Amino acid sequence: MSTARIRDTISECSSQAQSGSDEAKERALQMLAAITKVSPLNRSLLAQADGAIPAFLQLTESDSPVVQALSLSILFNLSLNPELKRPLAEMETIRHLNSIVLSPSSPETSRLAASLICSLAMLDKNKAKFGVVGTIQALIKAISGPNSVASHHLLSSLAELVQFHGNCTLAVRSGAVPMLLGLVASTEGEDLAGTSLAILGLLARFDEGLNALIRTDKIVVSMMDVLKGRCMQSKEGAAEILLRLFDESEGCTREALRLPEFSTVMADLSVRGSARAREKAGFLMRKMTEADTYADGNHLLLQW
């Protein structure tokens, strides 16, 4: 299809999407979703059409879940073009995405809104905007809700956003640490546990997140449970968190020394784990040996 023909199609479909019947809107939006799914050029052409982006944003407020989902799908397709991420991330757009995340009309709109947030947040200059407008709190509240059907997509968005320090602080203050640890301990699935541990590792890069983990009751035992029974991705995440805990907290190190299984689990991981897990297990075993030697030395000095 020639560029001129594509422009005509975009113009016609955009007009029908805004003024036609529900069936006409759906057909027009399906066409626009299809032509923007695989073509960066088509995305740029649609974004250049007068009033196109505001029109699709307005359609995401439609009473029809199908129209909402198709409009979000088109906006997500547009966000795949790097040069469109910044103009799409207007404050009002972000506020509207927050409202969809908190009160979705369907599972599909929830997933699409979360995916759009994640896509826009991949541009570092957009990350702070989401923090300012309350997206961190909205994601945590939505993930914590009963039977969230889009948890994986919501977690992926949170993982992208907390790479910015300010958003990490907001996440910790909004209760992200206990929420994520709850997902790790649940039986909802390995993907959720692995992503939750990855986010906890991101939070632990900064003092706020690390201190929240250190203050968590039986945090070392929780990570040990992961090392004993979860998938390799989760084990890698748990080992990374333990390394950070041992670096900053003597209490966590002493807690590990009191666990009779710890050395056995570490030895097993150092042999049968992935390359990344084996490396981290080696570091942990050396730290435990140093801590044990230090503790024995202090004990001998006290006896003397």
Side-chain angles (χ1 to χ4, degrees):
M1 192 183 295
S2 67
T3 300
R5 178 58 183 148
I6 292 170
R7 287 186 190 276
D8 290 342
T9 300
I10 287 173
S11 178
E12 181 181 348
C13 289
S14 296
S15 178
Q16 289 179 357
Q18 295 176 64
S19 59
S21 64
D22 282 348
E23 288 185 1
K25 285 180 180 178
E26 289 179 20
R27 286 196 300 271
L29 291 170
Q30 285 170 351
M31 173 61 75
L32 291 172
I35 66 174
T36 57
K37 185 174 182 179
V38 295
S39 171
L41 174 60
N42 291 352
R43 295 169 201 148
S44 295
L45 291 173
L46 178 57
Q48 292 164 14
D50 289 341
I53 291 175
F56 297 130
L57 287 169
Q58 187 174 3
L59 286 169
T60 62
E61 301 178 17
S62 167
D63 293 333
S64 166
V66 175
V67 170
Q68 282 190 27
L70 286 168
S71 302
L72 284 168
S73 182
I74 292 167
L75 290 169
F76 173 75
N77 291 346
L78 295 181
S79 76
L80 298 177
N81 279 24
E83 73 277 7
L84 296 178
K85 291 185 187 294
R86 192 166 187 176
L88 281 168
E90 296 291 339
M91 293 297 195
E92 283 305 314
T93 302
I94 295 172
R95 288 190 183 93
H96 184 52
L97 291 174
N98 292 350
S99 68
I100 295 175
V101 162
L102 290 170
S103 301
S105 61
S106 69
E108 184 66 9
T109 58
S110 180
R111 285 191 287 266
L112 286 167
S115 297
L116 179 52
I117 289 171
C118 187
S119 178
L120 295 176
M122 288 179 182
L123 181 65
D124 287 341
K125 291 181 179 179
N126 284 343
K127 286 181 170 62
K129 285 185 179 181
F130 284 97
V132 169
V133 187
T135 304
I136 301 296
Q137 294 90 332
L139 290 170
I140 291 171
K141 186 174 180 179
I143 296 166
S144 303
N147 303 317
S148 176
V149 293
S151 291
H152 181 69
H153 295 78
L154 295 167
L155 284 170
S156 296
S157 299
L158 185 61
E160 189 63 44
L161 286 169
V162 297
Q163 294 181 49
F164 175 64
H165 187 182
N167 289 342
C168 173
T169 299
L170 289 171
V172 172
R173 293 177 181 176
S174 301
V177 170
M179 179 271 290
L180 293 166
L181 287 171
L183 287 175
V184 170
S186 74
T187 57
E188 291 297 318
E190 292 294 345
D191 283 348
L192 292 183
T195 306
S196 297
L197 284 160
I199 297 172
L200 286 168
L202 291 169
L203 297 179
R205 294 176 305 161
F206 305 111
D207 289 343
E208 300 94 337
L210 187 58
N211 289 335
L213 284 167
I214 290 171
R215 291 193 298 268
T216 300
D217 187 40
K218 296 183 179 179
I219 183 61
V220 175
V221 174
S222 297
M223 294 301 103
M224 271 287 293
D225 289 340
V226 174
L227 293 175
K228 288 190 293 183
R230 287 291 193 177
C231 69
M232 193 54 61
Q233 179 193 3
S234 294
K235 290 179 180 181
E236 291 173 358
E240 175 65 29
I241 289 169
L242 284 173
L243 278 171
R244 294 186 184 277
L245 292 174
F246 289 178
D247 281 339
E248 298 296 328
S249 170
E250 291 184 7
C252 288
T253 308
R254 288 196 297 270
E255 184 181 348
L257 284 170
R258 290 193 293 268
L259 295 173
E261 303 176 274
F262 195 87
S263 296
T264 303
V265 172
M266 285 298 106
D268 182 70
L269 190 63
S270 68
V271 173
R272 298 198 293 178
S274 63
R276 186 164 176 256
R278 292 197 302 271
E279 179 186 29
K280 294 185 184 305
F283 287 141
L284 284 167
M285 291 171 72
R286 283 196 289 275
K287 285 182 179 294
M288 293 301 295
T289 300
E290 292 169 2
D292 198 22
T293 302
Y294 179 76
D296 287 344
N298 281 346
H299 180 66
L300 289 173
L301 284 173
L302 287 173
Q303 284 186 326
W304 184 79

